[in-house]
Amino acid sequence: MLAAAIGISSSTAAASEKLFTGVFDGTGRACSGALQVRAKTIEWRSAFSTCKPTPYEILEKNAEDGPKRIVFRLKKRSSQCLYPVIEVTQASDYRWNVTGYQSLEGFQKKEAPDWSNSPLPERQTLSCPMTGPN
């Protein structure tokens, strides 16, 4: 029985990973480009930032109840990549909001009023409506 439970648990985890795997297409001028999530690498190309394929770790994930959401931290960042932390939140069946943070600290403090309303360039984020995954 334990083996069956472990099998169900691992297949559920694999299914939730697939939810976030694929190509998310950006919409609008600033968000043109795509976010591509593969099993072991992530890549995000937009008008203002180019994050080449790199391994990632998952900081947070909710694929079960409520809005589907995942947060990636890039393990290596190319020189033109401004956003080493990427949050993907499902808005509807095929619409997603992808937000890039310039640091782990920026992601962790995103709700703090003195952080989120700050005019400092290193605290700014890029938030893009996207469709997908394809």
Side-chain angles (χ1 to χ4, degrees):
M1 217 147 110
L2 179 59
I6 292 171
I8 290 169
S9 176
S10 64
S11 65
T12 302
S16 71
E17 294 295 326
K18 284 193 159 224
L19 174 66
F20 301 105
T21 303
V23 178
F24 298 82
D25 294 309
T27 60
R29 186 183 74 80
C31 296
S32 64
L35 171 71
Q36 186 165 6
V37 181
R38 298 174 193 90
K40 297 185 186 225
T41 62
I42 190 168
E43 173 180 8
W44 187 13
R45 296 180 185 269
S46 69
F48 300 109
S49 176
T50 301
C51 301
K52 295 180 180 177
T54 186
Y56 61 84
E57 69 176 321
I58 297 173
L59 298 177
E60 297 178 12
K61 179 174 75 170
N62 177 18
E64 301 306 317
D65 56 340
K68 309 304 184 231
R69 180 177 162 275
I70 193 165
V71 181
F72 301 98
R73 186 187 70 78
L74 284 58
K75 290 188 175 182
K76 294 181 182 178
R77 181 166 51 144
S78 54
S79 61
Q80 297 172 328
C81 180
L82 298 177
Y83 307 104
V85 178
I86 301 169
E87 179 177 29
V88 180
T89 306
Q90 190 172 28
S92 68
D93 285 346
Y94 297 100
R95 289 187 5 193
W96 297 79
N97 189 50
V98 176
T99 303
Y101 298 89
Q102 293 190 44
S103 67
L104 180 58
E105 180 184 25
F107 168 72
Q108 293 169 333
K109 293 183 176 181
K110 67 182 178 179
E111 303 296 328
D114 62 331
W115 191 275
S116 62
N117 296 324
S118 174
L120 297 173
E122 66 272 10
R123 294 185 180 181
Q124 294 178 0
T125 62
L126 176 63
S127 185
C128 291
M130 294 193 167
T131 59
N134 302 328

